[in-house]
Protein backbone atom coordinates (compact mmCIF):
# COMPACT_ATOMS: atom_id res chain seq x y z
CA UNK A 1 0.00 0.00 0.00
CA UNK A 2 1.32 3.40 -0.99
CA UNK A 3 0.03 6.92 -0.45
CA UNK A 4 -1.73 8.19 -3.57
CA UNK A 5 -1.49 11.67 -2.11
CA UNK A 6 2.30 11.43 -1.99
CA UNK A 7 2.41 10.28 -5.62
CA UNK A 8 0.23 13.18 -6.78
CA UNK A 9 2.45 15.68 -4.99
CA UNK A 10 5.64 14.09 -6.35
CA UNK A 11 4.11 14.36 -9.82
CA UNK A 12 3.55 18.11 -9.22
CA UNK A 13 -0.23 17.79 -9.26
CA UNK A 14 -2.18 20.45 -7.39
CA UNK A 15 -4.05 18.51 -4.72
CA UNK A 16 -7.31 19.01 -2.86
CA UNK A 17 -7.67 17.57 0.60
CA UNK A 18 -10.86 17.87 2.63
CA UNK A 19 -11.81 17.25 6.23
CA UNK A 20 -14.49 15.32 8.05
CA UNK A 21 -15.21 14.81 11.72
CA UNK A 22 -16.12 11.45 13.27
CA UNK A 23 -19.78 11.35 14.34
CA UNK A 24 -21.26 11.10 17.79
CA UNK A 25 -22.58 7.71 16.81
CA UNK A 26 -21.69 4.06 16.49
CA UNK A 27 -23.25 3.88 13.01
CA UNK A 28 -20.66 3.64 10.23
CA UNK A 29 -23.27 4.56 7.61
CA UNK A 30 -23.31 8.13 8.91
CA UNK A 31 -19.67 8.46 7.88
CA UNK A 32 -20.10 7.06 4.40
CA UNK A 33 -23.16 9.22 3.77
CA UNK A 34 -21.36 12.33 5.01
CA UNK A 35 -18.35 11.95 2.69
CA UNK A 36 -20.13 10.47 -0.34
CA UNK A 37 -20.22 13.91 -1.98
CA UNK A 38 -16.40 14.08 -1.85
CA UNK A 39 -15.77 10.77 -3.64
CA UNK A 40 -13.72 11.24 -6.81
CA UNK A 41 -13.20 14.90 -5.86
CA UNK A 42 -10.98 15.09 -2.78
CA UNK A 43 -7.56 13.47 -3.22
CA UNK A 44 -7.58 12.57 0.48
CA UNK A 45 -9.80 13.28 3.48
CA UNK A 46 -8.55 14.23 6.92
CA UNK A 47 -10.21 12.60 9.91
CA UNK A 48 -10.06 14.82 12.98
CA UNK A 49 -8.93 13.33 16.30
CA UNK A 50 -11.07 14.50 19.20
CA UNK A 51 -11.55 17.97 17.75
CA UNK A 52 -12.50 20.57 20.34
CA UNK A 53 -11.27 18.16 23.03
CA UNK A 54 -14.57 16.29 22.80
CA UNK A 55 -15.24 12.58 22.40
CA UNK A 56 -16.48 11.28 19.07
CA UNK A 57 -16.20 7.98 17.24
CA UNK A 58 -12.56 6.85 17.16
CA UNK A 59 -10.58 8.69 14.48
CA UNK A 60 -8.74 5.45 13.68
CA UNK A 61 -12.01 3.57 13.15
CA UNK A 62 -13.45 6.41 11.06
CA UNK A 63 -10.35 6.53 8.83
CA UNK A 64 -10.52 2.75 8.39
CA UNK A 65 -14.15 3.01 7.26
CA UNK A 66 -13.15 5.60 4.66
CA UNK A 67 -10.31 3.39 3.44
CA UNK A 68 -12.67 0.44 3.10
CA UNK A 69 -14.89 2.61 0.91
CA UNK A 70 -11.94 3.39 -1.38
CA UNK A 71 -11.41 6.93 -0.04
CA UNK A 72 -7.84 7.72 0.98
CA UNK A 73 -7.74 9.03 4.56
CA UNK A 74 -5.29 11.26 6.40
CA UNK A 75 -5.47 10.19 10.03
CA UNK A 76 -4.88 12.99 12.51
CA UNK A 77 -2.88 11.96 15.59
CA UNK A 78 -2.78 14.20 18.67
CA UNK A 79 -0.43 13.97 21.62
CA UNK A 80 -3.27 14.57 24.08
CA UNK A 81 -4.91 11.19 24.56
CA UNK A 82 -2.31 8.44 24.11
CA UNK A 83 0.96 7.44 25.72
CA UNK A 84 3.83 6.33 23.50
CA UNK A 85 2.86 2.65 23.64
CA UNK A 86 -0.67 3.37 22.45
CA UNK A 87 0.67 5.70 19.75
CA UNK A 88 3.01 3.04 18.40
CA UNK A 89 0.21 0.47 18.39
CA UNK A 90 -2.19 2.80 16.59
CA UNK A 91 0.44 3.73 14.01
CA UNK A 92 0.91 0.07 13.07
CA UNK A 93 -2.82 -0.63 13.29
CA UNK A 94 -3.63 2.27 11.01
CA UNK A 95 -1.21 1.06 8.37
CA UNK A 96 -2.69 -2.46 8.59
CA UNK A 97 -6.11 -0.91 7.97
CA UNK A 98 -4.92 0.80 4.77
CA UNK A 99 -4.37 4.27 6.25
CA UNK A 100 -1.19 5.56 4.56
CA UNK A 101 -1.21 9.23 5.61
CA UNK A 102 -0.87 10.69 9.11
CA UNK A 103 -0.97 14.25 10.41
CA UNK A 104 0.80 14.72 13.74
CA UNK A 105 -0.70 17.43 15.96
CA UNK A 106 -0.59 18.81 19.49
CA UNK A 107 -4.38 18.67 19.88
CA UNK A 108 -6.84 20.98 21.61
CA UNK A 109 -6.43 21.29 25.37
CA UNK A 110 -9.11 19.56 27.44
CA UNK A 111 -10.07 22.77 29.22
CA UNK A 112 -11.71 23.86 25.94
CA UNK A 113 -13.86 20.73 25.75
CA UNK A 114 -17.01 19.50 27.49
CA UNK A 115 -15.14 17.34 30.03
CA UNK A 116 -12.50 19.76 31.35
CA UNK A 117 -11.56 17.49 34.27
CA UNK A 118 -10.10 14.96 31.82
CA UNK A 119 -6.44 14.12 32.40
CA UNK A 120 -4.25 14.92 29.40
CA UNK A 121 -1.60 12.32 28.56
CA UNK A 122 0.92 14.15 26.35
CA UNK A 123 3.58 11.50 26.94
CA UNK A 124 5.21 12.79 23.74
CA UNK A 125 5.28 16.30 22.37
CA UNK A 126 4.59 16.93 18.68
CA UNK A 127 8.25 16.50 17.70
CA UNK A 128 8.42 13.26 19.71
CA UNK A 129 5.32 11.97 17.90
CA UNK A 130 6.83 12.85 14.52
CA UNK A 131 10.14 11.21 15.38
CA UNK A 132 8.38 8.06 16.56
CA UNK A 133 6.47 7.69 13.28
CA UNK A 134 9.55 8.52 11.22
CA UNK A 135 11.86 6.11 13.04
CA UNK A 136 9.33 3.27 12.78
CA UNK A 137 9.15 3.97 9.05
CA UNK A 138 12.88 4.38 8.40
CA UNK A 139 14.41 1.91 10.88
CA UNK A 140 11.69 -0.73 10.94
CA UNK A 141 11.78 -0.99 14.71
CA UNK A 142 10.23 0.38 17.86
CA UNK A 143 12.10 3.08 19.80
CA UNK A 144 13.16 0.29 22.18
CA UNK A 145 15.03 -1.42 19.32
CA UNK A 146 12.62 -4.31 18.80
CA UNK A 147 12.19 -5.21 15.13
CA UNK A 148 8.95 -4.51 13.26
CA UNK A 149 8.03 -6.82 10.40
CA UNK A 150 6.58 -5.12 7.32
CA UNK A 151 7.23 -1.65 8.68
CA UNK A 152 4.78 1.07 7.54
CA UNK A 153 5.76 3.59 4.89
CA UNK A 154 3.76 6.48 6.28
CA UNK A 155 3.37 9.77 4.45
CA UNK A 156 3.95 12.02 7.44
CA UNK A 157 2.37 15.44 7.81
CA UNK A 158 2.66 18.34 10.22
CA UNK A 159 0.72 21.52 10.90
CA UNK A 160 1.67 25.09 10.07
CA UNK A 161 0.10 28.54 10.38
CA UNK A 162 0.94 31.22 7.79
CA UNK A 163 1.50 34.54 9.55
CA UNK A 164 2.85 38.03 9.01
CA UNK A 165 6.59 37.44 9.03
CA UNK A 166 9.46 39.72 9.95
CA UNK A 167 12.86 39.99 8.26
CA UNK A 168 14.49 37.77 10.89
CA UNK A 169 12.12 34.83 10.30
CA UNK A 170 14.29 31.72 9.76
CA UNK A 171 11.68 28.96 9.61
CA UNK A 172 13.34 27.14 12.51
CA UNK A 173 10.13 25.51 13.74
CA UNK A 174 9.38 24.19 10.25
CA UNK A 175 12.94 22.91 9.88
CA UNK A 176 12.65 21.05 13.20
CA UNK A 177 9.50 19.33 12.01
CA UNK A 178 11.07 18.45 8.66
CA UNK A 179 14.15 17.03 10.44
CA UNK A 180 11.76 14.97 12.60
CA UNK A 181 10.16 13.43 9.50
CA UNK A 182 7.52 15.79 8.10
CA UNK A 183 7.03 15.43 4.35
CA UNK A 184 3.98 17.67 3.94
CA UNK A 185 2.33 20.49 5.85
CA UNK A 186 -1.34 21.31 6.06
CA UNK A 187 -1.93 24.81 7.32
CA UNK A 188 -4.48 26.63 9.40
CA UNK A 189 -7.02 28.74 7.49
CA UNK A 190 -5.30 31.32 5.27
CA UNK A 191 -7.81 33.83 3.90
CA UNK A 192 -5.37 36.73 3.53
CA UNK A 193 -3.92 36.44 0.03
CA UNK A 194 -1.17 39.02 0.51
CA UNK A 195 -0.07 37.57 3.84
CA UNK A 196 0.17 34.12 2.26
CA UNK A 197 2.13 35.42 -0.74
CA UNK A 198 4.71 37.05 1.53
CA UNK A 199 4.90 33.97 3.73
CA UNK A 200 5.42 31.58 0.82
CA UNK A 201 7.95 33.95 -0.78
CA UNK A 202 10.03 33.70 2.39
CA UNK A 203 9.69 29.91 2.57
CA UNK A 204 10.79 29.66 -1.06
CA UNK A 205 13.76 31.92 -0.36
CA UNK A 206 14.76 29.74 2.62
CA UNK A 207 14.34 26.65 0.37
CA UNK A 208 11.94 25.11 2.87
CA UNK A 209 9.44 24.39 0.10
CA UNK A 210 12.10 22.19 -1.51
CA UNK A 211 11.98 19.91 1.53
CA UNK A 212 8.24 19.57 2.17
CA UNK A 213 4.94 20.15 0.40
CA UNK A 214 2.61 22.91 1.60
CA UNK A 215 -1.16 22.39 1.40
CA UNK A 216 -2.87 25.63 2.36
CA UNK A 217 -5.94 25.71 4.58
CA UNK A 218 -9.15 27.29 3.30
CA UNK A 219 -12.85 26.98 3.97
CA UNK A 220 -16.29 28.21 3.03
CA UNK A 221 -17.31 31.12 5.24
CA UNK A 222 -20.99 30.69 6.01
CA UNK A 223 -21.73 34.25 7.11
CA UNK A 224 -20.17 37.53 8.17
CA UNK A 225 -21.14 36.69 11.75
CA UNK A 226 -19.26 33.39 11.65
CA UNK A 227 -16.23 35.11 10.10
CA UNK A 228 -16.07 37.59 12.96
CA UNK A 229 -16.44 34.75 15.47
CA UNK A 230 -13.57 32.85 13.82
CA UNK A 231 -11.34 35.93 13.94
CA UNK A 232 -12.07 36.37 17.63
CA UNK A 233 -11.99 32.77 18.83
CA UNK A 234 -9.77 30.62 16.58
CA UNK A 235 -6.00 30.72 16.86
CA UNK A 236 -4.04 31.98 13.87
CA UNK A 237 -7.04 33.05 11.79
CA UNK A 238 -7.27 36.43 10.10
CA UNK A 239 -10.17 36.89 7.73
CA UNK A 240 -9.67 40.33 6.12
CA UNK A 241 -12.38 42.94 6.63
CA UNK A 242 -12.91 43.35 2.89
CA UNK A 243 -13.95 39.68 2.68
CA UNK A 244 -16.28 40.03 5.68
CA UNK A 245 -17.83 43.18 4.20
CA UNK A 246 -18.35 41.49 0.84
CA UNK A 247 -20.16 38.58 2.48
CA UNK A 248 -22.26 40.88 4.65
CA UNK A 249 -23.37 42.98 1.67
CA UNK A 250 -24.30 40.00 -0.51
CA UNK A 251 -27.82 38.70 -1.10
CA UNK A 252 -26.80 35.16 -0.10
CA UNK A 253 -23.98 35.02 2.44
CA UNK A 254 -23.40 31.26 2.18
CA UNK A 255 -23.23 31.35 -1.63
CA UNK A 256 -20.87 34.34 -1.48
CA UNK A 257 -18.62 32.37 0.86
CA UNK A 258 -18.40 29.59 -1.72
CA UNK A 259 -17.54 32.09 -4.47
CA UNK A 260 -14.80 33.66 -2.35
CA UNK A 261 -13.30 30.27 -1.56
CA UNK A 262 -13.22 29.34 -5.26
CA UNK A 263 -11.56 32.66 -6.12
CA UNK A 264 -8.91 32.17 -3.44
CA UNK A 265 -8.14 28.64 -4.62
CA UNK A 266 -7.62 29.99 -8.14
CA UNK A 267 -5.20 32.63 -6.82
CA UNK A 268 -3.34 30.23 -4.55
CA UNK A 269 -2.73 27.83 -7.42
CA UNK A 270 -0.38 30.42 -8.94
CA UNK A 271 1.69 30.98 -5.77
CA UNK A 272 5.05 29.25 -5.96
CA UNK A 273 5.45 26.64 -3.25
CA UNK A 274 1.72 26.02 -2.77
CA UNK A 275 1.08 22.37 -3.63
CA UNK A 276 -2.62 22.26 -2.90
CA UNK A 277 -5.42 23.41 -0.66
CA UNK A 278 -6.92 21.81 2.42
CA UNK A 279 -10.62 22.61 2.73
CA UNK A 280 -12.07 22.56 6.23
CA UNK A 281 -15.42 23.26 7.88
CA UNK A 282 -17.52 21.37 10.41
CA UNK A 283 -20.25 19.45 8.58
CA UNK A 284 -19.51 21.41 5.39
CA UNK A 285 -18.58 18.47 3.20
CA UNK A 286 -21.16 19.44 0.55
CA UNK A 287 -19.90 23.02 0.30
CA UNK A 288 -16.34 21.72 0.08
CA UNK A 289 -17.37 19.36 -2.73
CA UNK A 290 -18.93 22.30 -4.58
CA UNK A 291 -15.64 24.18 -4.40
CA UNK A 292 -13.48 21.25 -5.57
CA UNK A 293 -15.88 20.43 -8.42
CA UNK A 294 -15.01 23.80 -9.98
CA UNK A 295 -11.48 22.50 -10.59
CA UNK A 296 -12.05 18.87 -11.55
Amino acid sequence: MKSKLRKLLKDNKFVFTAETSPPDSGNKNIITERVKCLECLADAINVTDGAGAKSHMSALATAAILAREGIEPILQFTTRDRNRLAIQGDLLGGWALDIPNILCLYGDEVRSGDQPDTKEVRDLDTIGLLKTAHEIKINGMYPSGRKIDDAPEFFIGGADTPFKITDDFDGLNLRKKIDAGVEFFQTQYAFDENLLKNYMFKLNKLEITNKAYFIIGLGVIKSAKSARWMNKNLFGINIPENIIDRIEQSNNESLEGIKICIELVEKYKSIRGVSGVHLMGYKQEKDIATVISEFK
Side-chain angles (χ1 to χ4, degrees):
M1 181 186 64
K2 302 287 186 182
S3 167
K4 295 176 184 175
L5 179 63
R6 177 197 275 133
K7 185 179 188 307
L8 288 169
L9 289 166
K10 285 188 71 173
D11 290 344
N12 294 317
K13 304 293 186 183
F14 192 88
V15 302
F16 289 87
T17 59
E19 184 175 276
T20 196
S21 298
D24 294 318
S25 170
N27 184 350
K28 66 183 179 182
N29 294 328
I30 292 177
I31 301 160
T32 54
E33 285 299 314
R34 186 178 289 176
V35 301
K36 184 182 292 184
C37 59
L38 291 166
E39 280 188 85
C40 303
L41 287 175
D43 295 307
I45 297 179
N46 283 52
V47 178
T48 60
D49 184 15
K54 296 178 182 177
S55 289
H56 311 279
M57 181 188 287
S58 155
L60 178 61
T62 303
I65 292 167
L66 293 187
R68 191 167 62 184
E69 294 295 316
I71 299 170
E72 180 159 302
I74 301 171
L75 176 58
Q76 296 188 183
F77 267 91
T78 71
T79 66
R80 183 188 57 231
D81 305 326
R82 308 172 182 87
N83 67 17
R84 66 192 66 196
L85 299 181
I87 285 170
Q88 292 160 33
D90 283 352
L91 285 169
L92 293 180
W95 182 261
L97 292 168
D98 296 331
I99 302 168
N101 312 297
I102 58 174
L103 184 70
C104 299
L105 303 168
Y106 181 76
D108 299 318
E109 295 183 354
V110 297
R111 63 186 178 186
S112 67
D114 56 1
Q115 299 180 66
D117 293 331
T118 302
K119 183 177 180 180
E120 293 192 351
V121 181
R122 303 216 190 272
D123 187 24
L124 299 173
D125 60 14
T126 309
I127 295 296
L129 173 56
L130 287 165
K131 285 182 176 177
T132 297
H134 182 65
E135 288 170 4
I136 285 174
K137 169 184 170 181
I138 298 300
N139 300 328
M141 60 178 65
Y142 296 102
S144 66
R146 284 193 297 123
K147 185 177 183 299
I148 295 172
D149 294 324
D150 303 310
E153 297 179 35
F154 308 117
F155 190 37
I156 301 173
D160 184 31
T161 301
F163 63 98
K164 188 175 181 179
I165 54 173
T166 56
D167 291 339
D168 61 351
F169 174 74
D170 60 4
L172 181 60
N173 187 50
L174 294 173
R175 294 181 194 276
K176 285 181 179 178
K177 289 184 177 181
I178 291 168
D179 289 344
V182 164
E183 299 168 87
F184 72 96
F185 287 97
Q186 288 177 313
T187 81
Q188 181 55 278
Y189 290 111
F191 290 101
D192 190 324
E193 177 191 357
N194 291 325
L195 184 149
L196 180 64
K197 281 182 176 179
N198 292 333
Y199 185 74
M200 295 308 301
F201 177 82
K202 186 68 170 181
L203 295 192
N204 290 326
K205 191 173 181 180
L206 293 170
E207 298 187 344
I208 291 174
T209 52
N210 295 339
K211 299 172 183 175
Y213 303 102
F214 282 78
I215 304 173
I216 306 302
L218 273 176
V220 175
I221 303 170
K222 300 294 287 184
S223 66
K225 181 180 178 180
S226 67
R228 291 193 176 97
W229 183 91
M230 290 166 70
N231 274 348
K232 183 177 179 181
N233 294 283
L234 299 184
F235 170 76
I237 294 183
N238 174 38
I239 302 175
E241 279 300 318
N242 66 306
I243 287 180
I244 298 175
D245 290 343
R246 175 177 161 185
I247 291 172
E248 194 165 44
Q249 293 167 16
S250 67
N251 294 324
N252 185 322
E253 294 194 14
S254 180
L255 182 59
E256 198 67 24
I258 291 173
K259 290 179 181 177
I260 288 169
C261 188
I262 291 169
E263 290 170 14
L264 288 174
V265 171
E266 193 64 60
K267 291 175 181 177
Y268 291 3
K269 286 178 70 178
S270 65
I271 299 175
R272 182 175 162 235
V274 173
S275 297
V277 293
H278 177 50
L279 294 159
M280 299 171 279
Y282 183 59
K283 292 187 177 180
Q284 287 186 270
E285 287 85 355
K286 290 183 179 179
D287 286 342
I288 290 169
T290 298
V291 172
I292 301 176
S293 65
E294 289 292 312
F295 301 92
K296 293 204 172 184

